[in-house]
Amino acid sequence: MRKMLLAALSRMLQGPAAAAGRTGAVSEASRVMVASRNYADFANEATFEIKPCDLHRLEEGPATTAVLTREEGLHYYKTMQTIRRMELKSDQLYKQKIIRGFCHLYDGQEACCVGLEAAIKPTDHVITAYRAHGFTYARGVPVREILAELTGRKGGCAKGKGGSMHMYTKNFYGGNGIVGAQVPLGAGIALACKYFGKNEVCLTLYGDGAANQGQIFETYNMAALWKLPCIFICENNRYGMGTSVERAAASTDYYKRGDFIPGLRVDGMDVLCVREAAKFAAEYCRAGKGPIVMELQTYRYHGHSMSDPGISYRTREEIQEVRSKSDPITLLKDRMINNNLASVEELKVWLLVDV
Ligand SMILES: Cc1ncc(C[n+]2csc(CCOP(=O)(O)OP(=O)(O)O)c2C)c(N)n1
Ligand SMILES: [Mg+2]
């Protein structure tokens, strides 16, 4: 079993060619192709028009243009691709019974964790629910430690005792299995930031399925009353465990649900929209104005968990349509290629170049 895992991990880290079962010769050819293009041929940066956010109780919102440097673009692309492939590999390992227990995958939602991480500092804080693998990686835990955690090994980031739902690292508080329970904890972390006089913020994430719970509103109240530097972030992926948001919520305007707390509705499939909105929200909190709510409109390709095939309450066609029209990785890749920030070949062999 250990051998199978290591082989899988090693294939994954060798990039698309190896993952597809191709070896040596193709990889070498790819290396040559990349080397033949001079890095001076690429643009250093490009400016993009991005979708404006919907605003609640705010006169002005985040920037509607975003500058993306080549270096940032490559970093976001690699991070999103790594998360995507880690999740697809986890799906396989689960089906082979190498990963056991609960397992919630993040493919489709990669622009959320990557855009958020790009907007904050390592000293800021993040807490989320059980769909935690992407955040764990974005906060700095290597793939190896995440897969080791998923497979119950002591080299895992929680010594193999937490599994999919309970991963932690510095300034990342998990990985919480009880729906909504992490939201009051996030406000507590924000209270600590304020109490110790640190100009830090806490990103407190929850799903659309948690957004109707009473504890969320109690927390909003305390955070607003005490002006806590808390960014409440609802990842609206359109479904709870098996129920569409329309069937579960009287108002699906999650960015307005803080009532007296200002809010933003953000295109969560666009890493640049997420980054700009999160920068705005973090500045808002650091200025001492209190909490802010962000709704990230996103989509998960997998079912709720590995035991949910994810097609009894939504159609295959819907999933296919999101994949083909709104995929976060394709969107970034097209932007980079069309604006000469990277070449097709380079992005194809990205892992070979970097690892
Ligand atoms: C208090 C509580 N109630 C019910 C559950 C079972 N449960 C796990 S996830 C979930 C739905 C959550 O949906 P959402 O917040 O939209 O997150 P998503 O899975 O879509 O990322 C439910 C009902 C739970 N874990 N905790
Ligand atoms: Mg949901």
Side-chain angles (χ1 to χ4, degrees), residues 109 130-131 207-210 235-241 243 245 300 304:
Q109 299 189 204
Y130 42 82
R131 207 171 292 290
D208 47 275
E235 282 183 283
N236 174 8
N237 56 15
R238 299 202 223 163
Y239 299 93
M241 211 156 82
T243 312
V245 290
R300 62 170 150 72
H304 162 75

Side-chain angles (χ1 to χ4, degrees), residues 127-130 166 173-189 204-207 209-211 213-216 219:
I127 184 164
T128 189
Y130 42 82
H166 306 290
Y173 308 81
N176 292 272
I178 305 299
V179 170
Q182 74 281 3
V183 178
L185 298 180
I189 296 165
T204 302
L205 289 115
Y206 53 98
Q213 282 188 347
Q215 63 179 327
I216 309 291
T219 309

